[in-house]
Amino acid sequence: MITLIRTCTLNTLRTDLATAQADAQAARAEADECAEVLRAELAQSRLEAARLEGELRALRAQVLLDTEDRQALRTLLRATRKQNQRAERVYVLFRFGELHSVHATSTAAEIAAEAEGAARDGWTPHTTCCDGTTVPASQVRWRIQPVLLGATR
């Protein structure tokens, strides 16, 4: 079978073919350019990821150091609080003017005296006689006297 094509149609087909080939060539060039841009961006992203991974390692190490520092500070704070909780004074329990025992609180001294038979009531801060004069320590059955720690008296 023989096909007859007019010259005008043949020229149109050749022009369309040339245009399509030019468009295909332009599309290939654009695709190659886009591929190069994508390769460059991929390389840049890999560099950025490596940099961020290094920063992450450094930050993790810093977090560990910060945790250790916080633990050390907590330990120091506990020790400081214990130091501050130490008594500034002790309470000395005397029996007829002689040292009987030493206590952290006045209440503890009273309990110790009561365990030895002292009356539960009648505790006074100062031992004075009815006319306001001080009674000698050797005549007082039980006496509690606060003593400042570190004081030189």
Side-chain angles (χ1 to χ4, degrees), residues 10-26:
L10 183 60
N11 286 336
T12 303
L13 289 173
R14 285 183 183 159
T15 304
D16 289 346
L17 177 62
T19 303
Q21 287 176 341
D23 288 345
Q25 183 64 29

Side-chain angles (χ1 to χ4, degrees), residues 54-74:
E55 285 182 14
L56 180 62
R57 273 193 229 113
L59 289 173
R60 282 182 180 154
Q62 184 63 43
V63 165
L64 290 175
L65 289 175
D66 290 347
T67 302
E68 289 174 1
D69 289 348
R70 280 194 303 275
Q71 182 60 38
L73 287 173
R74 272 190 227 112

Side-chain angles (χ1 to χ4, degrees), residues 31-45:
D32 289 343
E33 185 179 316
C34 287
E36 287 302 315
V37 168
L38 287 175
R39 283 187 192 105
E41 288 177 356
L42 177 63
Q44 184 64 31
S45 295

Side-chain angles (χ1 to χ4, degrees), residues 37-111:
V37 168
L38 287 175
R39 283 187 192 105
E41 288 177 356
L42 177 63
Q44 184 64 31
S45 295
R46 286 181 177 160
L47 287 174
E48 183 72 13
R51 183 186 65 77
L52 291 174
E53 190 176 322
E55 285 182 14
L56 180 62
R57 273 193 229 113
L59 289 173
R60 282 182 180 154
Q62 184 63 43
V63 165
L64 290 175
L65 289 175
D66 290 347
T67 302
E68 289 174 1
D69 289 348
R70 280 194 303 275
Q71 182 60 38
L73 287 173
R74 272 190 227 112
T75 303
L76 287 172
L77 183 59
R78 272 191 227 111
T80 302
R81 285 180 179 156
K82 283 182 182 178
Q83 286 286 344
N84 289 341
Q85 288 177 353
R86 287 191 180 155
E88 296 175 4
R89 69 186 75 219
V90 293
Y91 295 86
V92 180
L93 180 60
F94 291 96
R95 182 174 186 180
F96 292 113
E98 303 231 352
L99 175 67
H100 180 271
S101 56
V102 178
H103 303 274
T105 64
S106 175
T107 305
E110 288 178 11
I111 291 171

